[in-house]
């Protein structure tokens, strides 16, 4: 149902002179975490935003659950897809509960149902509802804000999640903790997820499959093991240098 | 003396009108701003045009904008033109802040809102407006201070407000009255500004109760203002002007023939100088004595008052034949007193349907005045003696811009004189302290006799004669009884009487009302004979 298929996708930001992305074919399977990996400017965010219609392709098409999204109502579609961006982007004039309740509200759920759902989600992202419900975003730490951001994306029981560098702006300890928690959450809900990052270590730890974008194209797509064992190019080999070295060093520390 | 108590007596009514005018203009400006801001949000072109238009309005001097509204609204005076001008003035600060506020929202928040499935309209209403709210309110507060301040100028188009104290106080050298008006205008601006600040904070901190309480007080103040502003009108309609009649009249003969204007509501007005205030009060006394109720609009601009008469917004007032001759008829050459009167009366009737009931009986001409000793030392008796002299002459700034001044300078070859423009109230001090050699004064100014100044002859009769003439609007002139009543004032006031009345206000600090009452008493005393008509015969 929530399978995403991107075919022949192309996007230009200068009226067709050059293409940020061209001839992209990509499938996201039901229940998996697909990580889009690339350096800045590689088009990974563009591709992510094409899935919920924030960006219209110049060529090709995007289908969600078999339907071409060009034929769907964009706002209605977005209300069925969770969306998390870097730094959480909580609305500063709304309480935590109001932020989490936005999409249920837009979908005109009865208030009691929304309130119950908000509490359930705050518990899920490990924020005690009675403590956090009425706080303003300014009163939260970065990690807490990002947890609320995830809860907000999950609120209206979306069929899938789109995440744009969701753990990017966090300190290393919080980041690892949230990555773990999210991975568990995703498994238990078997939530189809597309996650954008430029951090190879994060990709290797979270992904079911990784799609590496370079020069406007998909350079390699595969499971973390496939990427690690058979990098398709020198560039990908280079991307793996840091995680490998870190892993080796850590291993050395543990065995010594 | 006009005391604090007298100022306080009018305060509820004038403050109420001031508040109402400001609030109505601000509310309309805020609504207009909202509509414009939403339209501007959809199109860059509309945004640019709206901001340019609002900016252009701001470059028009406020007094000019007010004056422009009178002809634009078909000669209407009072609340309507003031409301229109102040509304336009209020739009710019609000529009600028609203557009800036809406445009300065963090892009990632809008991105998040869109990604969560909000439509552009929902983003505007639920995210951008609430986040821009403090900036929008800051614009509203700026506009509030501007508009409350500018409402003091609205008296120039005949709207009631605290400006009445300021203008009248300034012209009658009553600093207490002027400061009284300034104080309450400033206090009103500060109170409204602070209340808006509290409202914004209450809304931001979600103190719904506090916000409701502030909104309630705004409403209550506006409602109270409506009742206070209208109450005097109700009263005068109920009781008629009987209260203002001298008691002797009551006992004499209360029968109908003595009150031919019973039940008639009339409007008169004055320009911002002492003699004009007295003329308007004199008209009011005569009309109220005949049973009419009179609404007096003080401090109106000269051409605004004339336009208002022409369009029947004002029923009657006193102007000067020379002013109509030079400013309205644009005539260059001077004529004799009687010819000027006849031509002016004929022109007004023919071109505008305005009826000239007649002259009050005195002339208030432009005159060169000097200290007697100073003039004797220099051997000066007439304007002709000023030719090729290196002397300094003061006058109000308007005088030196008028066509009459150009003609007198050419006729007597006065190129060597240096002119100093200053407010009328400072001219006399300047000439008495020898800071200037002569002044261009008005012949009926009370200070001429006070300081015993010499009025120089005008042997070539370059200045036109300025007879005070009683004018009635086309519509009001259809009422023969009204003309009859006003005719009681024709040829009854001579130079000595008006000069005494002017002096009572200017020098002795009486109110124009008191001076007019003195004048009116003189006219009604049986001993006072009608004065000679201009050409010498009856």
């Amino acid at each position: 149902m929530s399978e995403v298929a991107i075919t022949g996708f192309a996007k230009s930001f200068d009226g067709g002179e050059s293409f940020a992305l061209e001839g992209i074919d990509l499938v996201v399977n039901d229940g998996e975490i697909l990580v889009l990996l690339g350096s800045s400017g590689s088009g990974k965010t563009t591709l992510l935003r094409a899935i919920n219609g924030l960006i219209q392709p110049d060529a090709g098409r995007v289908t969600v659950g078999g339907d071409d999204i060009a034929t769907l109502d964009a706002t209605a579609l977005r209300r069925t897809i969770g969306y998390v961006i870097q730094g959480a982007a909580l609305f500063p004039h709304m309480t935590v509960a109001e932020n989490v309740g936005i999409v249920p509200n837009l979908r005109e759920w009865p208030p009691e149902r929304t309130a119950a759902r908000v509490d359930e989600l705050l518990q899920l992202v490990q924020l005690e509802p009675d403590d956090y419900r009425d706080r303003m975003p300014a009163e939260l730490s970065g990690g807490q804000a990002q947890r609320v951001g995830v809860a907000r994306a999950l609120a209206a029981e979306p069929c899938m999640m789109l995440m744009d560098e969701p753990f990017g702006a966090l300190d290393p300890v919080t980041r690892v903790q949230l990555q773990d928690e999210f991975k568990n959450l995703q498994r238990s809900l078997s939530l189809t997820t597309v996650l954008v990052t430029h951090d190879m270590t994060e990709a290797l730890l979270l992904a079911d499959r990784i799609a590496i974008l370079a020069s406007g194209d998909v350079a390699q797509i595969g499971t973390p093991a496939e990427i690690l064992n058979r990098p398709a190019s020198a560039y990908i080999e280079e991307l793996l240098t840091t995680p490998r070295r870190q892993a080796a060093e850590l291993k050395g520390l543990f065995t010594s | 003396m006009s005391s604090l108590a007298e100022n306080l007596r009018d305060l509820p009514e004038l403050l109420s009108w001031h508040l109402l005018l400001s609030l109505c203009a601000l509310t309309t400006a805020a609504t207009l701003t909202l509509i414009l801001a939403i339209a501007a949000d959809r199109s860059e072109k509309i945004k640019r045009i709206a901001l340019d238009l609002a900016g252009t309005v701001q470059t028009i001097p406020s007094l000019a904008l007010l004056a422009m509204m009178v002809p634009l609204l078909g000669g209407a005076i009072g609340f309507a033109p003031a409301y229109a001008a102040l509304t336009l003035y209020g739009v710019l600060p609000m529009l600028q802040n609203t557009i800036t506020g809406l445009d300065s929202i963090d892009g990632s928040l809008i991105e998040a809102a869109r990604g969560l499935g909000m439509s552009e309209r929902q983003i505007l209403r639920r995210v951008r407006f609430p986040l821009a709210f403090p900036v929008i309110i800051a614009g509203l507060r700026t506009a509030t201070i501007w508009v409350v301040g500018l409402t003091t100028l609205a008296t120039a188009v005949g709207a009631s407000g605290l400006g009445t104290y300021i203008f009248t106080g300034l012209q009658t050298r009553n600093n207490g009255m002027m400061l009284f008006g300034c104080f309450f205008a400033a206090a009103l601006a500060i109170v409204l500004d602070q209340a808006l600040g509290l409202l914004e904070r209450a809304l931001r901190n979600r103190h719904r109760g506090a916000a409701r309480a502030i909104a309630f007080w705004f409403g209550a103040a506006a409602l109270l203002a409506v009742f206070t502003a209208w109450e005097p009108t109700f009263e005068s309609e109920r009781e008629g002007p009987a209260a203002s009649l001298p008691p002797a009249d009551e006992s004499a003969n209360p029968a109908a023939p003595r009150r031919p204007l019973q039940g008639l509501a009339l409007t008169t007005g004055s320009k911002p100088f002492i003699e004009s205030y007295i003329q308007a009060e004199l008209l009011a006394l005569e009309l109220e004595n005949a049973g009419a109720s009179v609404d007096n609009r003080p401090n109106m601009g000269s051409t605004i008052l004339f336009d208002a008469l022409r369009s029947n917004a004002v029923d009657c007032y006193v102007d000067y034949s020379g002013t109509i001759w030079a400013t309205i008829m644009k005539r260059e050459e001077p004529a004799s007193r009687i010819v000027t009167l006849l031509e002016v009366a004929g022109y007004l009737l023919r071109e505008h349907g305005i009826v000239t009931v007649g002259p009050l009986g005195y002339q208030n001409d432009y005159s060169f005045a000097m200290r007697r000793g100073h003039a004797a030392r220099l051997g000066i008796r007439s304007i002709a003696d000023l030719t090729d002299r290196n002397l300094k002459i003061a006058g109000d700034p308007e005088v030196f811009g008028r066509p009459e001044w150009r003609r007198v300078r050419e006729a007597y070859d006065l190129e060597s004189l240096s002119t100093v423009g200053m407010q009328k109230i400072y001219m006399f001090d300047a000439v008495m302290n020898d800071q200037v050699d002569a002044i261009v004064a008005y012949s009926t100014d009370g200070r001429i006799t006070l300081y015993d100044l010499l009025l120089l002859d005008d042997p070539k009769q370059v200045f036109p004669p300025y007879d005070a003439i009683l004018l009635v609007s086309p519509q009001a002139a259809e009422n023969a009884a009204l003309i009859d009543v006003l005719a009681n004032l024709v040829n009854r006031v001579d130079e000595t009487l008006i000069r005494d009345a002017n002096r009572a206000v200017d020098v002795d600090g009486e109110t124009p009302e008191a001076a007019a009452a003195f004048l009116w008493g003189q006219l009604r005393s049986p001993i006072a004979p009608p004065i000679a008509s201009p050409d010498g015969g009856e």
Side-chain angles (χ1 to χ4, degrees):
Chain A
M1 179 54 202
S2 61
E3 186 191 64
V4 176
I6 297 169
T7 39
F9 181 92
K11 180 70 191 174
S12 167
F13 290 107
D14 53 13
E17 287 213 3
S18 66
F19 282 85
L21 290 165
E22 205 174 358
I24 305 284
D25 296 304
L26 196 67
V27 172
V28 186
N29 298 316
D30 215 356
E32 77 168 342
I33 298 188
L34 176 78
V35 170
L36 295 175
L37 180 86
S39 55
S40 55
S42 62
K44 54 190 191 301
T45 297
T46 303
L47 204 51
L48 183 86
R49 286 155 52 91
I51 299 173
N52 64 0
L54 286 172
I55 277 179
Q56 273 77 46
D58 293 321
R61 58 189 212 129
V62 178
T63 62
V64 173
D67 299 318
D68 187 337
I69 64 161
T71 65
L72 301 175
D73 173 40
T75 55
L77 171 74
R78 289 174 203 147
R79 288 171 196 176
T80 65
I81 299 177
Y83 189 56
V84 182
I85 63 177
Q86 184 170 5
L90 301 181
F91 299 114
H93 61 296
M94 299 181 186
T95 63
V96 165
E98 285 166 340
N99 265 289
V100 175
I102 285 172
V103 183
N105 208 312
L106 291 172
R107 290 172 70 171
E108 293 171 354
W109 286 15
E112 313 79 54
R113 185 178 168 202
T114 305
R117 179 67 177 157
V118 167
D119 284 1
E120 183 189 339
L121 280 164
L122 287 177
Q123 233 136 28
L124 197 67
V125 297
Q126 309 195 0
L127 296 171
E128 185 46 51
D130 289 339
D131 272 0
Y132 288 90
R133 197 185 289 126
D134 295 325
R135 288 204 199 180
M136 299 306 281
E139 302 166 68
L140 303 176
S141 71
Q144 289 165 343
Q146 196 55 281
R147 287 192 158 106
V148 176
V150 171
R152 181 174 70 179
L154 290 169
E157 294 158 354
C159 63
M160 64 177 298
M161 290 283 269
L162 302 179
M163 307 178 91
D164 191 356
E165 309 245 11
F167 311 117
L170 303 174
D171 67 84
V173 177
T174 315
R175 184 189 311 164
V176 172
Q177 193 184 355
L178 272 179
Q179 282 169 345
D180 278 352
E181 284 173 19
F182 179 72
K183 179 99 182 173
N184 294 334
L185 198 64
Q186 190 270 338
R187 286 277 170 274
S188 64
L189 300 173
S190 61
L191 195 61
T192 311
T193 300
V194 180
L195 187 146
V196 160
T197 184
H198 62 267
D199 178 352
M200 179 59 100
T201 312
E202 180 169 87
L204 292 169
L205 289 173
L206 287 178
D208 291 314
R209 288 192 304 146
I210 301 172
I212 298 169
L213 296 176
S215 331
D217 208 349
V218 180
Q220 187 174 7
I221 184 160
T223 63
E226 285 166 350
I227 303 268
L228 268 172
N229 298 326
R230 289 189 298 280
S233 68
Y235 170 68
I236 297 169
E237 185 67 55
E238 196 187 314
L239 288 176
L240 290 167
T241 317
T242 310
R244 278 192 177 133
R245 202 192 60 229
Q246 283 174 340
E249 282 171 5
L250 286 171
K251 205 173 172 186
L253 282 175
F254 281 121
T255 50
S256 62
Chain B
M1 282 301 281
S2 99
S3 60
L4 188 65
E6 270 176 42
N7 289 338
L8 279 171
R9 189 195 59 197
D10 296 331
L11 183 65
E13 191 194 341
L14 293 179
L15 185 64
S16 295
W17 277 116
H18 201 103
L19 179 68
L20 276 184
L21 188 50
S22 303
L23 283 185
C24 287
L26 283 166
T27 318
T28 314
T31 314
L32 253 164
T33 300
L34 208 61
I35 296 167
L36 281 174
I38 290 171
D41 201 57
R42 293 191 185 152
S43 136
E44 278 300 317
K45 201 167 156 192
I46 294 178
K47 181 184 295 183
R48 216 183 47 242
I49 293 172
L51 281 174
D52 282 355
L53 267 180
T56 308
V57 167
Q58 223 64 46
T59 62
I60 305 173
S62 33
L63 207 51
L65 187 66
L66 279 160
M68 271 165 53
M69 286 300 157
V70 175
L72 281 179
L73 296 177
I77 56 160
F79 195 89
Y83 164 72
L86 293 169
T87 299
L88 287 181
Y89 244 78
V91 168
L92 180 73
M94 287 199 225
L95 189 65
Q96 263 176 348
N97 276 44
T98 306
I99 288 178
T100 312
L102 290 177
D103 283 351
S104 62
I105 306 301
D106 181 356
S108 70
L109 292 178
I110 295 174
E111 167 79 16
R114 207 169 282 151
L116 289 168
M118 286 194 198
S119 66
E120 293 306 308
R121 221 163 84 202
Q122 286 166 330
I123 294 174
L124 187 64
R125 211 183 61 226
R126 298 189 184 203
V127 179
R128 293 171 66 211
F129 258 117
L131 288 176
F133 192 64
V135 184
I136 295 173
I137 289 288
L140 177 61
R141 291 173 69 174
T142 309
T144 301
I145 291 181
W146 285 17
V147 166
V148 171
L150 285 173
T151 303
T152 57
L153 298 180
T155 180
V157 292
S160 291
L162 296 168
T164 307
Y165 291 119
I166 299 171
F167 274 69
T168 311
L170 201 64
Q171 292 299 327
T172 61
R173 297 168 190 262
N174 187 337
N175 287 336
M177 189 185 211
M178 190 185 73
L179 289 174
F180 186 86
C182 290
F183 172 80
F184 279 98
L188 186 62
I190 291 170
V191 167
L192 289 181
D193 175 57
Q194 290 301 311
L196 284 172
L198 286 176
L199 183 67
E200 191 264 322
R201 209 171 320 148
L203 286 174
R204 184 154 35 95
N205 297 334
R206 297 161 173 250
H207 292 146
R208 293 239 163 79
R212 260 200 293 269
I214 295 165
F216 169 80
W217 284 112
F218 261 107
L223 215 62
L224 185 71
V226 168
F227 282 118
T228 318
W230 259 284
E231 199 193 25
T233 322
F234 293 148
E235 251 171 34
S236 61
E237 274 168 11
R238 260 199 324 270
E239 297 168 16
S244 63
L245 284 176
D249 221 51
E250 293 282 326
S251 52
N253 186 3
R258 286 192 45 84
R259 310 191 122 239
L261 303 182
Q262 187 68 51
L264 196 61
L266 295 166
T267 304
T268 184
S270 61
K271 306 178 191 180
F273 57 89
I274 292 172
E275 188 170 302
S276 188
Y277 300 149
I278 296 174
Q279 290 161 350
E281 297 291 353
L282 184 66
L283 287 192
L285 282 173
E286 188 64 35
L287 295 170
E288 283 171 357
N289 182 51
S293 65
V294 179
D295 179 11
N296 184 5
R297 311 290 181 96
N299 294 312
M300 290 173 62
S302 179
T303 52
I304 295 171
L305 190 49
F306 182 78
D307 283 344
L309 184 80
R310 204 173 48 169
S311 61
N312 300 307
V314 157
D315 296 302
C316 54
Y317 81 100
V318 177
D319 212 319
Y320 299 95
S321 56
T323 303
I324 307 280
W325 180 266
T327 357
I328 312 280
M329 296 166 70
K330 314 266 185 221
R331 296 283 289 264
E332 289 271 316
E333 76 293 353
S336 73
R337 185 177 186 185
I338 190 70
V339 168
T340 309
L341 263 177
L342 290 172
E343 287 213 24
V344 164
Y347 165 84
L348 289 176
L349 186 64
R350 207 170 52 242
E351 299 294 324
H352 302 294
I354 294 171
V355 168
T356 308
V357 180
L360 288 187
Y362 69 87
Q363 282 175 269
N364 182 10
D365 299 338
Y366 280 118
S367 310
F368 284 52
M370 291 181 76
R371 282 176 61 196
R372 281 183 195 281
H374 194 55
R377 249 193 320 281
L378 297 172
I380 293 170
R381 284 156 166 257
S382 85
I383 304 178
D385 298 328
L386 297 175
T387 308
D388 287 334
R389 295 286 194 113
N390 254 326
L391 298 175
K392 234 191 215 172
I393 185 162
D396 76 45
E398 189 199 326
V399 171
F400 298 126
R402 284 180 77 126
E404 293 98 312
W405 172 253
R406 211 182 57 238
R407 283 207 317 275
V408 84
R409 205 178 50 189
E410 283 164 9
Y412 292 105
D413 206 3
L414 302 179
E415 300 298 333
S416 58
L417 291 186
S418 53
T419 60
V420 189
M422 60 175 71
Q423 282 294 310
K424 212 160 42 189
I425 56 171
Y426 304 120
M427 276 181 347
F428 287 92
D429 295 332
V431 76
M432 292 314 289
N433 298 332
D434 289 329
Q435 286 169 311
V436 297
D437 300 290
I439 55 174
V440 183
Y442 300 90
S443 57
T444 56
D445 198 304
R447 293 195 174 234
I448 290 174
T449 46
L450 175 74
Y451 297 129
D452 191 28
L453 295 179
L454 174 71
L455 296 181
L456 304 188
D457 289 336
D458 174 14
K460 296 188 183 174
Q461 294 208 334
V462 179
F463 281 125
Y466 290 81
D467 253 293
I469 48 174
L470 186 40
L471 306 180
V472 176
S473 74
Q475 206 171 30
E478 289 168 15
N479 187 339
L482 173 66
I483 305 278
D484 278 348
V485 168
L486 290 174
N488 290 336
L489 298 172
V490 170
N491 276 333
R492 297 293 304 278
V493 186
D494 64 7
E495 273 86 2
T496 318
L497 270 179
I498 192 69
R499 211 175 277 159
D500 286 349
N502 281 338
R503 186 175 154 168
V505 178
D506 195 6
V507 181
D508 307 331
E510 295 285 354
T511 62
E513 273 170 287
F518 151 78
L519 206 55
W520 196 65
Q522 294 286 310
L523 302 188
R524 294 179 64 81
S525 104
I527 316 142
I531 59 170
S533 60
D535 54 350
E538 260 301 324

